């Protein structure tokens, strides 16, 4: 049977109407899709209980016996049907609060049934409300083993298509299969990892006979998913390495040394030194660098970027750094100009607001090679931006960019430039291996010395006075503060109103201080002026939406107040908090929330108050939200293509899959051996269904 092309509607019991629902609601169109429509849980129906064993704290149980009689009890809304059920040793009440007529006509007394439900205590007795009742002799499905539960939607339920129906379909399908489902992994792999065959795995993922079966099936299927992802990434990476030679930067010359010896205002941290060494090694190796630099907020990535760019310059090439917001690009520009002052380097800033003659001058300078460092936003991607010889590209806060945008930078030079992507959103290792599996990873795991951990405090929004007391104490010592409001796109107007109101209130309540404000809807020039007032210390408080989230650096700021903190995710809270604590003084982050909080929000706030460690927060975030919601995962589509594996929980299998993929490719780089034929077939098939998630940069 050709499972992949056989329409599910021809399966007995399905038909065109239900087939359409399955397709619309669950994307199940073919028999193959049905096989891969996995249950989300199983309920153990291997054990029958006696009525006298039941207690109210048990989860689902099943009992076998007969209904002795029915009674309708109670009045009005409390009217209920009670069936007195016995297993010959004890009696338990089965209770229905609705569908009374149906139940009375469907079930008979003196007939053997299997009853399945959750025991409750009521008036000192045990009953089971709304149980599943099935004739004991018609249970041809797995009702006595581990019963699968499938996801369904409201629309399906309204049409009477529930988990039980899908169970019938999958059971029918397995019964009708005449031969084994063909294997999709090379036999030697299955054997060496002592995995079950695909046929067995698929049968047992739906219908295990015990928990151990289910575990083996799930391991095999998870491994396979992750293995093909890794194989694809690694093949792509190896191929790219062979295809693209990198510019070889052998010289570490006058600019790098001049900067290091004369301009650098502080000692590099050990981690910064190590990462710069890694980058130098890459750029001198003859292959093109593709490196991800992870480092917590405030760990000093900008400096690493600058020094790496200087190496490109020392070798006669140009360099470019791209940032996600104008404010950030402007700030990098200012930092670079200041740090490089006195050295013969021409740095220019290119954003959407740089126009006319000035823009023309920059573009010409780039083509002639006079502009050596270009700092900019997406504007640098435009076709009119052409370099004489671009040797190195840095992408800051890379998770803010799409895959396609990053890829365009590659084409700015005949030979692709070396690429360094930087992120302050820490990514747990297993996720990084999958998302950025084709990149080499460097980590700055050390903050510059003398930083005091930021103190994070949770405060309910009805306690303004105590918030102001804290603020005044800091501001009166000459420090500065941020007050941030969430910005949610759907109701941008409302959010700006929140911000404006908050601003008015602050002006009213703290009249002795000067206050700036910025939000995304302001004109660039206006925004810049307000930012500048804050950076130069003319104003003491900056009221802002999340436009300041990434990268802004004002070391004198020591307080970060986050309003409506319940509306921010963990990663964002951590990013925002990272705006303070950049000097040597004690800094504070105040999370202001309403009083009523969901359990998840409370957990988030708790994590924030307990740790400053970005990696710990990222792990917690991954667990709370699942990988599909993390920034960077959505655009890549990886999380969506996984049916079973969970990047948060299956870290060990990710690692195993990667190791196996490596060793397969080491032994047979082109998968040309006969035993590897199956790999090609599977990769080709998968590529059709999965977005191109391997091309990250
Ligand atoms: P991020 O990694 O978040 O981009 P930045 O590069 O903005 O961090 O650096 C944060 C602050 O730390 C800046 O003010 C920078 O000048 C300072 N800094 C960077 N490296 C060091 C160092 N080795 N010693 C002291 N301060 C440093
Ligand atoms: Mg930064």
């Amino acid at each position: 049977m050709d499972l992949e092309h056989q329409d599910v509607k021809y399966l007995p019991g399905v038909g065109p109407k239900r087939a359409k629902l399955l397709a619309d609601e669950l994307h199940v169109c073919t028999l193959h899709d049905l096989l891969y429509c996995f249950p989300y849980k199983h309920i153990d129906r291997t054990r029958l209980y006696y009525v006298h064993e039941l207690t109210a704290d048990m989860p689902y149980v099943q009992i076998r016996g007969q209904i002795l009689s029915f009674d309708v009890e109670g009045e009005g809304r409390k009217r209920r049907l009670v069936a007195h059920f016995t297993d010959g040793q004890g009696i338990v009440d089965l209770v229905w609060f609705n569908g009374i007529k149906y139940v009375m006509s469907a079930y008979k007394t003196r007939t053997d049934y299997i009853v399945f439900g959750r025991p409750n205590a009521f008036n000192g007795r045990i009953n089971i409300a709304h149980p599943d009742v099935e004739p004991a002799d018609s249970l041809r499905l797995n009702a006595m083993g581990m019963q699968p539960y499938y996801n369904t939607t409201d629309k399906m339920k309204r049409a009477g298509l529930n988990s039980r129906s899908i169970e019938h379909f999958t059971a029918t399908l397995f019964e009708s299969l005449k031969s084994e489902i063909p294997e999709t992994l090379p036999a030697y792999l299955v054997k060496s990892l002592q995995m079950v065959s695909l046929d067995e795995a698929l049968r047992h993922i739906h219908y295990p006979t015990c928990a151990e079966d289910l575990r083996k099936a799930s391991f095999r299927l998870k491994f396979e998913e992750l293995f093909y992802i890794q194989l694809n990434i690694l093949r792509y990476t190896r191929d790219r390495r062979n295809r693209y030679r990198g510019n070889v930067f052998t010289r570490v010359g006058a600019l790098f040394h001049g900067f290091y010896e004369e301009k650098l205002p502080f000692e590099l941290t050990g981690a910064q030194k190590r990462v710069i060494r890694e980058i130098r090694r890459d750029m001198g190796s003859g292959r093109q660098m593709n490196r991800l630099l992870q480092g917590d907020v405030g760990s000093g990535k900008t400096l690493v970027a600058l020094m790496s760019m200087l190496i490109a310059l020392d070798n006669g090439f140009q360099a470019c750094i791209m940032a996600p917001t104008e404010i950030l690009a402007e700030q990098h520009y200012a930092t670079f100009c200041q740090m490089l002052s006195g050295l013969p380097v021409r740095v220019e800033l290119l954003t959407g607001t740089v126009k006319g003659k000035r823009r023309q001058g920059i573009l010409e300078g780039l083509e002639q090679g006079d502009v050596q460092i270009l700092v900019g936003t997406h504007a640098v991607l435009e076709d009119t931006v052409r370099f004489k010889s671009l040797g190195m590209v840095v992408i800051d806060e890379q998770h803010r960019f799409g895959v396609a945008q990053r890829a365009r930078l590659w084409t700015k030079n005949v030979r692709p430039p070396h690429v360094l992507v930087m992120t302050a959103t820490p990514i747990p290792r297993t996720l990084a291996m999958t998302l950025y599996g084709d990149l080499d990873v460097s980590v700055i795991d050390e903050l510059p010395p003398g930083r005091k951990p930021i103190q994070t405090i949770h405060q309910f929004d009805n306690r303004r006075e105590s918030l102001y007391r804290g603020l005044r104490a800091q501001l009166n010592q000459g420090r500065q503060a941020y007050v941030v409001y969430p910005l949610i796109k759907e109701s941008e107007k409302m959010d700006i109103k929140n911000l404006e109101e908050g601003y008015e209130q602050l002006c009213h309540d703290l009249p002795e201080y000067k206050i700036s404000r910025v939000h995304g809807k302001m004109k660039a020039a206006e925004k810049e002026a307000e930012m500048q007032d804050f950076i130069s210390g003319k104003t003491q408080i900056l009221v802002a939406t999340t436009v300041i989230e990434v990268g802004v650096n004002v070391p004198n700021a020591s307080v970060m107040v986050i309003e409506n903190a319940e509306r921010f995710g963990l990663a964002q809270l951590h990013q925002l908090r990272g705006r303070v604590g950049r000097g040597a003084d004690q800094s504070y982050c105040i999370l202001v929330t309403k009083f009523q909080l969901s359990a998840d929000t409370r957990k988030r706030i708790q994590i924030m108050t307990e740790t400053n460690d970005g990696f710990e927060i990222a792990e917690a975030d991954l667990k709370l939200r699942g990988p599909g919601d993390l920034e960077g995962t959505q655009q890549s589509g990886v999380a969506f293509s996984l049916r079973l594996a969970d990047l948060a929980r299956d870290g060990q299998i990710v690692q195993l899959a990667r190791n196996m993929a490596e060793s397969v490719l080491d032994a047979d780089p082109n998968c040309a051996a006969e035993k590897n034929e199956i790999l090609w077939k599977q990769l080709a098939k998968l590529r059709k269904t999965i977005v191109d998630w391997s091309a990250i940069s």
Side-chain angles (χ1 to χ4, degrees):
M1 200 177 333
D2 184 358
L3 296 167
E4 269 165 68
H5 297 102
Q6 184 90 260
D7 196 319
V8 75
K9 78 179 165 200
Y10 300 117
L11 191 70
V14 181
K17 242 165 126 187
R18 297 171 142 208
K20 181 159 182 347
L21 265 177
L22 286 175
D24 292 349
E25 302 293 301
L26 300 181
H27 304 291
V28 168
C29 305
T30 65
L31 294 182
H32 178 268
D33 297 339
L34 184 61
L35 277 180
Y36 280 85
C37 172
F38 299 143
Y40 66 92
K41 68 170 180 187
H42 288 86
I43 285 187
D44 187 353
R45 301 190 71 164
T46 51
R47 174 146 158 35
L48 273 176
Y49 284 79
Y50 289 111
V51 167
H52 64 75
E53 290 179 290
L54 303 186
T55 58
D57 55 4
M58 285 180 167
Y60 287 88
V61 295
Q62 60 187 347
I63 48 182
R64 181 184 178 128
Q66 300 187 346
I67 295 171
L68 294 171
S69 61
F70 290 103
D71 275 323
V72 176
E73 298 178 357
E75 292 291 323
R77 288 180 56 206
K78 291 213 173 125
R79 211 171 104 94
R80 60 195 180 268
L81 175 68
V82 178
H84 307 288
F85 186 88
T86 181
D87 61 356
Q89 304 210 24
I91 295 182
V92 65
D93 289 344
L94 313 180
V95 185
W96 287 267
F97 295 92
N98 46 44
I100 292 180
K101 245 187 174 159
Y102 168 78
V103 174
M104 289 194 47
S105 68
Y107 306 135
K108 301 185 202 60
T109 55
R110 310 289 160 189
T111 307
D112 271 338
Y113 289 112
I114 301 265
V115 168
F116 178 71
R118 195 202 295 266
N120 299 306
F122 181 73
N123 280 348
R125 296 181 46 162
I126 298 286
N127 70 27
I128 302 179
H130 291 264
D132 271 2
V133 179
E134 305 228 12
D137 55 5
S138 78
L139 288 174
R140 85 186 165 90
L141 298 180
N142 213 43
M144 295 300 291
M146 305 270 283
Q147 187 185 1
Y149 276 68
Y150 297 93
N151 278 314
T152 52
T153 63
D154 287 343
K155 209 167 156 194
M156 291 170 66
K157 285 197 194 94
R158 280 199 298 277
L161 189 61
N162 55 22
S163 169
R164 217 56 216 263
S165 326
I166 299 179
E167 194 185 335
H168 278 277
F169 302 156
T170 51
T172 309
L173 175 54
F174 280 118
E175 271 172 22
S176 67
L177 288 178
K178 295 284 179 294
S179 53
E180 281 209 357
I181 299 161
E183 189 50 64
T184 42
L185 281 173
Y188 68 94
L189 262 185
V190 176
K191 195 160 163 231
S192 72
L193 294 176
Q194 296 176 340
M195 289 189 290
V196 295
S197 68
L198 180 66
D199 185 80
E200 187 174 335
L202 285 174
R203 282 174 199 273
H204 284 169
I205 200 77
H206 292 274
Y207 297 103
T209 47
C210 61
E212 180 61 10
D213 277 356
L214 182 59
R215 196 195 57 75
K216 282 187 183 157
S218 134
F219 174 76
R220 146 85 209 218
L221 294 167
K222 284 177 177 180
F223 174 83
E224 180 166 346
E225 277 184 340
L226 296 167
F227 171 77
Y228 277 110
I229 288 178
Q230 292 300 333
L231 190 68
N232 199 29
I233 292 172
L234 291 172
R235 248 174 27 87
Y236 167 85
T237 310
R238 286 175 186 224
D239 179 54
R240 188 190 61 208
R241 283 186 185 161
N242 290 336
R243 209 143 27 105
Y244 300 115
R245 310 301 306 155
N247 293 306
V248 187
F249 296 169
T250 46
R251 238 175 327 187
V252 175
L255 287 175
F256 186 92
H257 285 306
F259 176 80
Y260 189 73
E261 275 141 35
E262 282 156 40
K263 300 289 172 188
L264 195 60
F266 31 63
E267 259 295 292
L268 292 177
T269 63
Q272 282 172 321
K273 282 186 193 161
R274 189 190 67 236
V275 171
I276 290 172
R277 267 202 305 276
E278 285 165 354
I279 291 171
R280 269 170 61 172
R281 202 185 314 129
D282 275 3
M283 296 198 300
S285 71
R287 62 182 181 82
Q288 183 225 7
M289 174 172 81
N290 253 293
R291 192 167 275 281
L292 171 70
L293 173 54
Q294 287 194 54
D296 214 338
V297 274
S299 61
K301 295 185 292 294
T302 315
L303 197 60
V304 171
L306 176 61
M307 293 179 71
S308 313
M309 294 199 287
L310 290 179
I311 298 176
L313 268 54
D314 273 337
N315 287 274
F317 285 87
Q318 295 162 292
C320 169
I321 179 168
M322 181 164 82
T325 64
E326 254 174 59
I327 290 178
L328 189 52
E330 278 155 16
Q331 190 173 301
H332 282 333
Y333 176 67
T335 306
F336 290 0
C337 288
Q338 187 220 333
M339 286 198 156
L340 297 174
S341 72
L343 292 175
V345 179
R346 183 171 164 203
V347 185
E348 291 287 357
L349 174 71
L350 189 73
T351 65
T353 47
V354 176
K355 296 215 165 81
K357 264 216 173 105
R358 208 170 127 214
R359 186 183 192 85
Q360 208 45 49
I362 295 173
L363 294 182
E364 280 166 23
L366 284 170
E367 278 197 81
Q368 279 148 18
D370 306 339
V371 175
Q372 288 141 299
I373 294 182
L374 182 68
V375 182
T377 55
H378 306 80
V380 305
L381 296 174
E382 284 164 27
D383 289 337
T384 49
V385 181
R386 283 186 290 263
F387 294 82
K388 179 163 182 242
S389 57
L390 180 62
M392 155 107 202
V393 164
V394 181
I395 298 166
D396 196 15
E397 308 294 351
Q398 66 78 32
H399 59 280
R400 289 297 200 87
F401 291 98
V403 174
Q405 285 168 324
R406 283 176 251 146
R408 281 181 66 180
L409 274 174
W410 275 57
T411 59
K412 296 263 168 200
N413 206 49
V414 183
R415 180 172 273 185
H418 295 296
V419 178
L420 180 69
V421 299
M422 309 202 292
T423 182
T425 306
I427 304 158
R429 234 174 64 81
T430 54
L431 192 55
M433 235 188 272
T434 309
L435 274 184
Y436 305 113
D438 63 324
L439 305 184
D440 297 311
V441 180
S442 289
V443 181
I444 303 188
D445 50 5
E446 183 184 356
L447 292 179
R451 298 258 178 94
K452 289 203 181 66
I454 302 160
Q455 219 172 306
T456 301
I457 299 155
H458 177 204
Q459 195 140 65
F460 293 115
D461 59 6
N462 54 5
R463 304 208 41 221
R464 291 274 143 193
E465 258 324 301
S466 102
L467 175 66
Y468 291 152
R469 255 199 313 279
L471 259 178
R472 280 200 192 95
Q474 286 294 305
L475 297 175
N476 290 345
Q477 290 173 36
R479 315 301 308 279
Q480 289 165 285
Y482 298 96
V483 179
V484 179
Y485 288 84
L487 186 70
I488 293 176
K489 284 209 182 66
E490 298 88 75
S491 61
E492 212 161 352
K493 271 211 192 95
M494 266 264 299
D495 291 322
I496 305 258
K497 189 164 147 261
N498 275 349
L499 178 140
E500 293 292 350
E501 279 170 12
Y503 173 76
E504 298 293 331
Q505 193 184 355
L506 277 174
C507 292
H508 176 267
D509 294 343
L510 300 170
E512 63 271 44
Y513 305 109
K514 296 209 182 63
I515 306 181
S516 289
R517 111 197 90 157
V518 287
H519 56 75
K521 281 271 168 284
M522 283 163 88
K523 293 228 167 64
E526 205 182 340
K527 209 159 45 181
E528 188 179 350
E530 296 273 322
M531 273 313 286
Q532 212 43 55
D533 284 348
F534 186 69
I535 291 169
S536 66
K538 218 154 110 193
T539 55
Q540 286 97 54
I541 302 177
L542 177 68
V543 178
T545 54
T546 38
V547 290
I548 64 152
E549 180 193 342
V550 281
V552 178
N553 186 31
V554 181
N556 188 46
S558 65
V559 186
M560 166 64 65
V561 179
I562 305 178
E563 297 278 356
N564 303 115
E566 68 270 17
R567 286 169 65 182
F568 291 98
L570 268 179
Q572 222 179 359
L573 289 173
H574 181 62
Q575 283 275 342
L576 283 169
R577 178 169 62 183
R579 297 308 106 214
V580 296
R582 303 188 146 227
D585 298 286
Q586 178 63 55
S587 290
Y588 303 88
C589 173
I590 322 287
L591 306 174
V592 183
T593 70
K594 58 182 185 189
F595 191 69
Q596 293 276 333
L597 295 177
S598 70
D600 262 14
T601 307
R602 242 174 290 136
K603 184 87 203 153
R604 283 205 302 276
I605 303 279
Q606 188 199 344
I607 292 165
M608 287 298 294
T609 55
E610 280 172 3
T611 182
N612 275 299
D613 182 326
F615 279 91
E616 224 174 278
I617 290 173
E619 296 277 358
D621 205 18
L622 189 60
K623 290 215 175 81
L624 274 177
R625 297 202 291 168
D629 281 341
L630 289 187
E631 273 182 298
T633 55
Q634 269 153 356
Q635 57 193 5
S636 79
V638 168
F640 293 126
S641 70
L642 293 175
R643 287 170 190 274
L644 214 54
D646 177 338
L647 295 174
R649 264 178 290 151
D650 298 320
Q652 278 181 326
I653 311 183
V654 176
Q655 183 69 63
L656 178 66
R658 187 169 179 93
N659 295 347
M660 292 317 279
E662 296 257 18
S663 72
V664 166
L665 289 175
D666 284 344
D668 181 13
N670 297 314
C671 301
E674 206 182 315
K675 62 176 184 177
N676 284 329
E677 215 182 296
I678 202 163
L679 296 176
W680 277 112
K681 270 201 352 228
Q682 282 305 108
L683 279 179
K685 241 187 244 167
L686 291 171
R687 216 164 298 125
K688 265 186 265 160
T689 54
I690 300 175
V691 228
D692 187 12
W693 31 257
S694 59
I696 291 296
S697 74

